[in-house]
Amino acid sequence: MVADMSDGYVSQIDLEKIYRSLISPEHKRFFVIARYTGEKFNRITKLKIGDVYDENCYPLDVITFGRGTSDQRDAIVFERLKELLSYHRPKKCDLDAWLFPSKSRTGNHIGFAATDKWLRNAAYRADIDHWNISTHTFRKVFVTTLYEHGMSIEAIQETVGFKTQNSVTRYIADKTQKIAKSLNNIFP
């Protein structure tokens, strides 16, 4: 049974299926960071081990994306994320090494196209319509999940690093359903 994603939204259950279909420990680590931070894949590819782990390969309290750039963002490492990062920690802990090194380009980080390919392959193995999955799926699900659990647009903007509140609202799936539910609760 292929999941219905006509609105471009993937459920948490679908994400679990994709996660379980991943083969590589590096892919699972990448997936965990994408799922629980909502960060763009191209920024995750550029993480160094020291952006996520300390010298003993224990997860830091924040993941720093774009370190030293004008759009640097720190994502909070909450309990579930810390647990999964600990489980999927790298074997070696060279803080200056790429967290996701390229297998084909020595000394470089994994490429964006490679992440898209393994994500689609995992979705296919999980029987999720891999043509509706994209590297941006995680960001949309993350933002929508925060919103559905009551986080304000302003807090989501700050958490995910959007420049405008309008950017946040473009990522939220099923806005009308959420509004209708809220109105029904306010005016029973």
Side-chain angles (χ1 to χ4, degrees):
M1 176 66 160
V2 175
D4 175 25
M5 295 181 300
S6 54
D7 66 351
Y9 184 76
V10 178
S11 72
Q12 295 295 333
I13 292 168
D14 292 334
L15 286 178
E16 278 302 314
K17 289 178 185 176
I18 295 169
Y19 174 78
R20 287 194 301 273
S21 74
L22 292 167
I23 299 165
S24 158
E26 289 86 12
H27 295 172
K28 288 189 177 206
R29 184 182 325 120
F30 195 104
F31 179 98
V32 163
I33 292 170
R35 180 178 184 181
Y36 294 112
T37 67
E39 189 55 76
K40 297 175 186 174
F41 269 40
N42 65 336
R43 288 175 49 104
I44 298 171
T45 64
K46 297 173 184 144
L47 285 171
K48 300 276 184 137
I49 290 174
D51 295 327
V52 181
Y53 294 94
D54 68 16
E55 61 279 351
N56 297 310
C57 267
Y58 291 107
L60 299 169
D61 292 333
V62 295
I63 296 174
T64 303
F65 297 99
R67 184 179 299 281
T69 65
S70 62
D71 62 343
Q72 177 176 314
R73 176 174 89 86
D74 290 337
I76 295 170
V77 178
F78 54 95
E79 288 180 32
R80 177 72 176 142
L81 178 54
K82 188 169 278 204
E83 173 188 324
L84 290 166
L85 288 173
S86 293
Y87 184 77
H88 295 297
R89 77 175 104 239
K91 291 178 180 149
K92 295 181 192 170
C93 209
D94 175 359
L95 299 181
D96 293 322
W98 296 113
L99 185 57
F100 304 103
S102 172
K103 297 202 185 315
S104 60
R105 299 175 304 152
T106 305
N108 288 308
H109 59 79
I110 190 171
F112 181 81
T115 64
D116 183 65
K117 182 177 179 179
W118 64 251
L119 173 62
R120 289 178 190 276
N121 287 338
Y124 179 79
R125 286 191 302 274
D127 202 21
I128 307 290
D129 184 354
H130 64 288
W131 295 112
N132 283 332
I133 291 280
S134 77
T135 57
H136 232 59
T137 298
F138 292 84
R139 197 162 172 84
K140 183 171 185 178
V141 172
F142 184 74
V143 168
T144 300
T145 302
L146 295 178
Y147 181 73
E148 288 175 347
H149 283 83
M151 188 177 274
S152 70
I153 299 292
E154 295 82 9
I156 294 170
Q157 179 183 355
E158 185 176 331
T159 300
V160 183
F162 286 115
K163 294 191 182 353
T164 68
Q165 291 180 11
N166 189 40
S167 297
V168 176
T169 59
R170 288 194 313 253
Y171 278 83
I172 298 171
D174 298 322
K175 287 182 278 194
T176 30
Q177 187 177 25
K178 171 81 174 175
I179 292 166
K181 185 178 177 183
S182 294
L183 290 170
N184 286 332
N185 288 335
I186 295 168
F187 306 107

